[in-house]
Amino acid sequence: MITKSKVGRYDFVAEPFHTDFTGRLSLGVLGNHMLNSAGFHSSERGFGISFLQANNYTWVLSRFALELNEMPADGEAFCIETWVENAYRLFTDRNFAVLSQDGQRALGYARSVWAMIDLRTRKPVDLLGVNNGNIVDYAAPEKSCPIEKPGRIKVVATEPARTIETFYSDVDINGHVNSMKYIEHIMDLFSKDFLSAKRIARFEIAYVAESYWGDHLSFFCDELPDDEYAVEIRKHVSPENPVGEVVCRSKLIFCNK
Amino acid sequence: MITKSKVGRYDFVAEPFHTDFTGRLSLGVLGNHMLNSAGFHSSERGFGISFLQANNYTWVLSRFALELNEMPADGEAFCIETWVENAYRLFTDRNFAVLSQDGQRALGYARSVWAMIDLRTRKPVDLLGVNNGNIVDYAAPEKSCPIEKPGRIKVVATEPARTIETFYSDVDINGHVNSMKYIEHIMDLFSKDFLSAKRIARFEIAYVAESYWGDHLSFFCDELPDDEYAVEIRKHVSPENPVGEVVCRSKLIFCNK
């Protein structure tokens, strides 16, 4: 019996210290609120932290794509709706809507793809085999998410635009660089002049491998036509190993404000 | 007539993506929650964003000192109490208690010193001259805050331990490096081994001058006896100007876990 709504809705306020120099919520913070909403929603349905810890499992974010008409402004109340679109053996699609406080106006939508990993074997768990496969009972494929799915991202640059070292504040409880920290570092590639004139219309990221405290991350960046950028983050890039190892790939499409 | 309680109490939960590799809330996030609590409390009493914007004023954090028995753990609910201890012409002392959810157990205490600045002149505002001087009616000097006031911090190191460039994600809506971002960068000076064995017992920071997007920040660090560290952040340090300009000074006292 399903007693919980298939769609969770969670309230947020754009806090003063979470807004950027333009007075809008920063992308990494919005992403963090979405991850928290996903966490609340899945916990309420028996796929949260206590289920995961009891089984030594963890959710792993594989892909994330977001389209925005407008970023919440400093002090603005808004809500995030989230729901499972589909669940398969190895992946589940979870969607998001960012709405005005009254739920009437869509600020944006997002799609994400998740796997569940067994921490002992690092192998994916069969999602249809846990909790009697009831994840599919929570799916709401009929609810509309009017943005394209995450696509393939290709980067051809051979010289990094920047290389950074990772520290304490980059890593999460698992010791991995926090998935939203990559987004902060990617946004940090853009200049003040550029970000004064443009805003994010679509942002996409595909997580390929984990990185850790002390890893050097190199950012390879293609500037494409129409304010589009493709970024590949690689670790362990050195003169002896100029290719390194891909950590994640991201695509950003900007538009005029 | 005072209808509002002199002490504000605000509820928080240590979110999964706000905890560090040890599973405890990170210091910068706790500081951010305190600043938000201060913002809620002062707004409720007529000294918030709408009052400030109408007058072209802003609150500026001058000093902050925190002592912790224990940092909230991943998923833990806690609350922050905040109150004005005293108000003078140019400064006001605001204190904080970090308490367990039921308010019965003290996780830590903090003290802060604030000035109000006129954004047109960059000069301090006479706090006793605004809102009919009613800030003093909100003061609760009788409420105990059992930690020492922020003291004088002196750093003698002549070579920076690290120099970083500041980017998009460092700055706030005023274009200044966010006061909590300095704390993140200071924590990033410490190694994983050190932070695995030790925890913050007392943290103190004095803000001296603003820094901006693109500024290079150099971290001068004295290692003192008894797991004590003093850090001075300076901008504009160069071979021609090895002293640069002081942005802030911080003192950290660690203890064994």
Side-chain angles (χ1 to χ4, degrees):
Chain A
M1 192 182 67
I2 299 172
T3 52
K4 296 275 184 183
S5 158
K6 290 182 176 179
V7 181
R9 187 192 280 196
Y10 307 96
D11 292 317
F12 298 91
V13 173
E15 295 178 12
F17 304 98
H18 285 163
T19 52
D20 67 11
F21 75 110
T22 71
R24 299 279 173 171
L25 199 65
S26 74
L27 186 61
V29 173
L30 180 63
N32 187 38
H33 289 334
M34 289 181 166
L35 296 192
N36 278 329
S37 300
F40 299 146
H41 191 244
S42 62
S43 290
E44 292 162 10
R45 277 145 200 83
F47 290 91
I49 193 77
S50 49
F51 165 77
L52 296 169
Q53 284 179 342
N55 290 280
N56 238 325
Y57 296 161
T58 189
W59 282 112
V60 174
L61 178 59
S62 169
R63 283 163 176 272
F64 178 75
L66 166 74
E67 290 194 14
L68 282 176
N69 303 316
E70 166 185 349
M71 187 66 98
D74 186 24
E76 186 176 344
F78 62 98
C79 64
I80 295 176
E81 283 188 349
T82 181
W83 65 97
V84 173
E85 182 178 88
N86 281 302
Y88 307 97
R89 275 190 61 236
L90 300 183
F91 289 100
T92 177
D93 297 325
R94 173 178 283 284
N95 298 341
F96 302 87
V98 185
L99 304 171
S100 55
Q101 187 175 25
D102 62 7
Q104 295 304 302
R105 191 165 44 92
L107 281 61
Y109 291 92
R111 293 176 172 278
S112 62
V113 180
W114 299 76
M116 193 180 279
I117 300 284
D118 187 323
L119 287 166
R120 290 157 300 196
T121 62
R122 306 297 304 170
K123 290 214 161 64
V125 175
D126 179 353
L127 289 170
L128 306 181
V130 295
N131 282 357
N132 300 318
N134 74 4
I135 190 169
V136 297
D137 299 332
Y138 295 123
E142 67 282 5
K143 185 165 163 73
S144 154
C145 187
I147 67 167
E148 262 184 56
K149 295 198 174 192
R152 191 168 163 267
I153 302 167
K154 199 180 154 218
V155 175
V156 298
T158 53
E159 289 293 325
R162 180 175 298 152
T163 296
I164 62 162
E165 193 176 342
T166 57
F167 300 112
Y168 168 80
S169 63
D170 288 300
V171 301
D172 64 15
I173 189 173
N174 297 313
H176 303 142
V177 172
N178 179 322
S179 41
M180 294 301 123
K181 271 282 173 180
Y182 292 118
I183 298 183
E184 275 188 24
H185 290 310
I186 289 168
M187 290 302 294
D188 282 351
L189 295 170
F190 297 91
S191 74
K192 191 169 186 180
D193 283 350
F194 182 80
L195 293 176
S196 297
K198 308 281 181 182
R199 68 167 187 86
I200 289 276
R202 182 176 167 95
F203 176 86
E204 212 173 298
I205 189 163
Y207 297 98
V208 179
E210 299 288 1
S211 68
Y212 305 89
W213 186 333
D215 280 349
H216 287 73
L217 301 180
S218 300
F219 294 74
F220 294 80
C221 190
D222 291 348
E223 187 176 345
L224 305 169
D226 301 324
D227 288 330
E228 212 173 301
Y229 293 80
V231 179
E232 190 165 80
I233 307 180
R234 298 190 213 146
K235 63 181 177 180
H236 308 324
V237 174
S238 67
E240 298 73 39
N241 181 12
V243 174
E245 188 185 337
V246 175
V247 172
C248 59
R249 295 187 186 95
S250 175
K251 187 189 251 184
L252 304 96
I253 304 175
F254 291 90
C255 63
N256 293 326
K257 278 187 179 163
Chain B
M1 193 181 68
I2 300 172
T3 52
K4 296 277 183 182
S5 159
K6 290 182 176 180
V7 181
R9 187 191 281 196
Y10 307 96
D11 292 316
F12 297 91
V13 173
E15 295 178 12
F17 303 98
H18 285 164
T19 52
D20 67 11
F21 74 110
T22 70
R24 299 279 173 171
L25 199 63
S26 74
L27 186 61
V29 172
L30 180 63
N32 186 39
H33 289 334
M34 289 181 166
L35 295 192
N36 279 327
S37 300
F40 299 146
H41 190 245
S42 61
S43 291
E44 292 162 9
R45 278 144 198 85
F47 290 90
I49 193 77
S50 48
F51 165 77
L52 297 169
Q53 284 180 342
N55 291 279
N56 239 326
Y57 296 161
T58 189
W59 283 112
V60 173
L61 179 59
S62 169
R63 283 161 178 274
F64 178 76
L66 166 74
E67 291 194 14
L68 282 176
N69 303 317
E70 168 184 346
M71 187 65 99
D74 187 23
E76 186 178 343
F78 62 99
C79 64
I80 295 176
E81 283 188 347
T82 181
W83 66 96
V84 173
E85 181 179 89
N86 281 302
Y88 308 96
R89 275 189 60 235
L90 301 183
F91 289 101
T92 178
D93 297 325
R94 174 179 281 286
N95 298 341
F96 302 87
V98 185
L99 304 170
S100 55
Q101 186 175 25
D102 61 9
Q104 296 304 303
R105 191 164 44 92
L107 281 61
Y109 290 93
R111 293 176 172 276
S112 63
V113 180
W114 299 76
M116 192 180 279
I117 300 284
D118 186 323
L119 287 166
R120 289 157 300 194
T121 62
R122 305 299 302 171
K123 291 214 161 62
V125 175
D126 179 353
L127 288 170
L128 306 181
V130 296
N131 282 357
N132 301 317
N134 74 4
I135 190 170
V136 296
D137 299 332
Y138 295 122
E142 68 281 5
K143 187 167 161 75
S144 151
C145 187
I147 67 167
E148 262 184 56
K149 295 200 172 189
R152 189 165 165 268
I153 303 166
K154 199 179 153 218
V155 175
V156 297
T158 54
E159 289 293 324
R162 181 176 297 152
T163 296
I164 62 162
E165 193 176 342
T166 57
F167 300 112
Y168 168 80
S169 63
D170 288 299
V171 300
D172 63 15
I173 189 173
N174 297 313
H176 304 143
V177 172
N178 180 321
S179 41
M180 294 301 123
K181 271 283 170 179
Y182 292 117
I183 298 182
E184 275 189 22
H185 291 309
I186 289 167
M187 289 303 294
D188 282 351
L189 295 170
F190 296 92
S191 74
K192 191 170 186 179
D193 284 348
F194 182 80
L195 294 176
S196 296
K198 309 281 181 182
R199 68 167 186 85
I200 288 276
R202 181 176 167 97
F203 176 85
E204 211 174 299
I205 188 164
Y207 296 100
V208 179
E210 300 287 2
S211 69
Y212 304 89
W213 186 333
D215 280 349
H216 288 72
L217 301 180
S218 299
F219 294 73
F220 295 79
C221 190
D222 291 348
E223 188 177 344
L224 306 169
D226 301 325
D227 289 330
E228 212 174 301
Y229 293 82
V231 179
E232 190 166 81
I233 307 181
R234 298 190 212 146
K235 62 181 177 181
H236 308 323
V237 174
S238 67
E240 298 74 37
N241 181 12
V243 175
E245 187 184 339
V246 175
V247 172
C248 58
R249 295 187 186 95
S250 174
K251 187 189 251 184
L252 304 96
I253 305 175
F254 291 89
C255 63
N256 292 327
K257 278 188 180 161

